[in-house]
Amino acid sequence: MTKKTIASGEALKLAVVGHTNTGKTSILRTLLRDVYFGEVKNEAATTRHVEQARLTDSQTGEVLVALYDTPGLEDASGLMDWLEDNTASRRDGIERLQQFLAADIAQSIDSSRVSDSYDYSQEAKVIRQLLASDMAIYVVDAREPVLGKYKDELAILSWAAIPVMPVFNFTDSQNANIDDWQTMLARRNLHISTRFDSVAFEFEDEMRLWQNLATMLTHSEMLEKLMARRTEDWAQLYDEANIIIADFLINVAAFVREISEDDDPMPVLEQMQEAVRQSERAMQHNLLNLYKFYDNAVAATPLELQAYQQDPFDPELLKSYGIRTTSGAAAGALLGLGIDAAALGTTLGLGAAIGGIAGGLLSNTSSIADRITGVKRLYIDPATLTLLATRAIDLLTALRHRGHAATDATQLLYKGEKNSLDTSSDGSYDNNTDEDSNSITVWPANKLPSELKKARGKPQWSSLSSGKSEQAQLLRADMAWSLSGKLQSYKRES
């Protein structure tokens, strides 16, 4: 099948070809983890020139695969007619393509291609790159029916005498016609294909793409090295993301403010709430940047979803996550403040505060002495910590299923995701839990992980309390690492 055997240890030259507007550039964006690569529009012939990109070893910088984004094939049927009329059928495919490339119609005269109906300069760019490559992937829009023009494209591509593997894009669509396509491809001896949705991303699909390509090569060392490195990198990203979330949660859990017995707690509560909102926003942006999704005009970011915009101190949001309080009516009335009811000794009365402590609402027993001496300590409550943790895990899970070609914020949602990110037609949250159903949170609000419980008695761990960001982060580093391991067990994927 191969025109030329790729040398051992040589970077693979991979051409990405296909009909206009099938998502070639979109697939490259997702493979490269780069929202800036190329130009993606919902119109024909967006890519007008061949663009090169490289996949390198993240540790050594060695180029493993050179990717070539090519213009769309716009009139393969017309080109096939020309080839049949002007080239001899007894010559091999490469000779016939080379004869075409030497003809006037293959030369770029007018880039607009409006005046000359026999201008095949765009097809010529694709074929030149095809002949210079080791193999190609043929991108198929799975939503398209099997038409004659696609059959002509595959016939022309086969003349280049290099391995060609069809890749189905937009496979998550309900209108996918993959069975029909596979029947047609099999009749053309193209039995190896794969699915890779550039919007609804699955890491396993990417690995299957590289694995299938490797089976078509005599020397596949570079692809095997690429798969091993990208698997390591993907796991490391997940570890780093969970540490970012764990560090944020411990920072918030350790957040404490002291006020005197007679002070009005509301101004301090509002300050604490705003500090937590800003801290959550910073954590979310750290996750976006880690997975190379940026808050800019190139692509809609996940944070444009209402699920991530709603105030974490909104009682209705707590309800949408199925979070209930077990600390009585008084605590329930204060739940929206995100503050332990037991911390408000004066508001509820000293007896109620001590009762709250006995019920386990506060983790440090010195709080009783504080109240006797007229000191009140204000903390962020377990329900809010649970909400913040669940929303962070939801965001991480969604980022791991979002392709870098996604241009709509709603494309963040991965297949099967529900509950905390569901909204009804009027924009309000659908609550899929009832009073007796299982919570959709990462843990019950009354059963915080031991790391967060310990943080409640360590105000020096919180930069929100001390204002000393670097020092506080160092102090909580070991605990954040421990909590991150637990977070990885809370899989929100279906």
Side-chain angles (χ1 to χ4, degrees), residues 152-327:
D152 289 337
E153 288 172 1
L154 288 167
I156 293 171
L157 296 179
S158 70
W159 290 0
I162 62 173
V164 175
M165 185 179 74
V167 174
F168 294 105
N169 195 11
F170 307 115
T171 57
D172 214 37
S173 170
Q174 294 181 346
N175 300 320
N177 297 303
I178 295 178
D179 290 343
D180 293 341
W181 272 98
Q182 288 180 327
T183 298
M184 185 271 284
L185 293 170
R187 292 177 179 178
R188 282 156 181 77
N189 288 320
L190 292 170
H191 299 284
I192 300 178
S193 63
T194 194
R195 305 183 184 197
F196 185 80
D197 197 305
S198 59
V199 172
F201 174 70
E202 295 292 341
F203 184 73
E204 292 77 11
D205 288 346
E206 180 186 341
M207 290 299 102
R208 192 173 298 112
L209 183 153
W210 298 124
Q211 183 61 54
N212 287 349
L213 287 173
T215 64
M216 304 170 75
L217 289 173
T218 304
H219 296 286
S220 58
E221 295 90 343
M222 292 309 230
L223 283 182
E224 290 167 1
K225 187 182 295 186
L226 176 70
M227 287 186 284
R229 182 63 71 199
R230 286 176 85 84
T231 299
E232 292 174 5
D233 290 346
W234 190 246
Q236 183 176 347
L237 276 179
Y238 190 49
D239 289 343
E240 292 177 8
N242 278 284
I243 288 176
I244 288 173
I245 295 172
D247 181 77
F248 156 72
L249 292 173
I250 292 174
N251 194 29
V252 172
F255 188 18
V256 60
R257 292 284 299 273
E258 293 184 357
I259 60 176
S260 64
E261 185 78 19
D262 299 324
D263 287 345
D264 180 3
M266 290 310 298
V268 178
L269 297 180
E270 291 173 357
Q271 292 172 11
M272 294 180 73
Q273 289 176 0
E274 184 57 29
V276 171
R277 291 187 193 102
Q278 292 182 15
S279 183
E280 184 190 30
R281 187 75 178 188
M283 178 274 297
Q284 291 170 336
H285 279 291
N286 286 338
L287 290 180
L288 288 172
N289 290 335
L290 182 67
Y291 281 89
K292 297 185 179 179
F293 294 101
Y294 306 106
D295 194 0
N296 54 41
V298 176
T301 70
L303 297 186
E304 293 179 30
L305 282 179
Q306 185 181 358
Y308 300 106
Q309 291 178 336
Q310 194 164 356
D311 187 354
F313 296 99
D314 184 343
E316 293 303 314
L317 184 59
L318 287 165
K319 289 182 182 179
S320 76
Y321 276 83
I323 297 175
R324 293 180 296 162
T325 177
T326 58
S327 47

Side-chain angles (χ1 to χ4, degrees), residues 7 25 36 67 70 77-78 82 90 186 224 280 304 324 330 344 351 363 367 387 394 423 433 456 463 470 475 490:
T25 302
Y36 296 104
L67 296 161
T70 64
S77 296
W82 187 94
R90 64 180 175 272
E224 290 167 1
E280 184 190 30
E304 293 179 30
R324 293 180 296 162
L344 301 178
S363 59
S367 298
L387 168 63
D394 279 342
T423 56
T433 60
R456 303 296 291 275
S463 60
E470 293 184 7
L475 291 173
Y490 298 111

Side-chain angles (χ1 to χ4, degrees), residues 452-471:
L452 294 182
K453 291 180 180 178
K454 186 172 182 179
R456 303 296 291 275
K458 302 287 185 179
Q460 66 273 23
W461 287 2
S462 177
S463 60
L464 304 178
S465 299
S466 65
K468 299 177 180 178
S469 179
E470 293 184 7
Q471 180 179 349

Side-chain angles (χ1 to χ4, degrees), residues 306-307 310 422-430:
Q306 185 181 358
Q310 194 164 356
D422 278 349
T423 56
S424 61
S425 58
D426 63 358
S428 61
Y429 280 85
D430 293 331

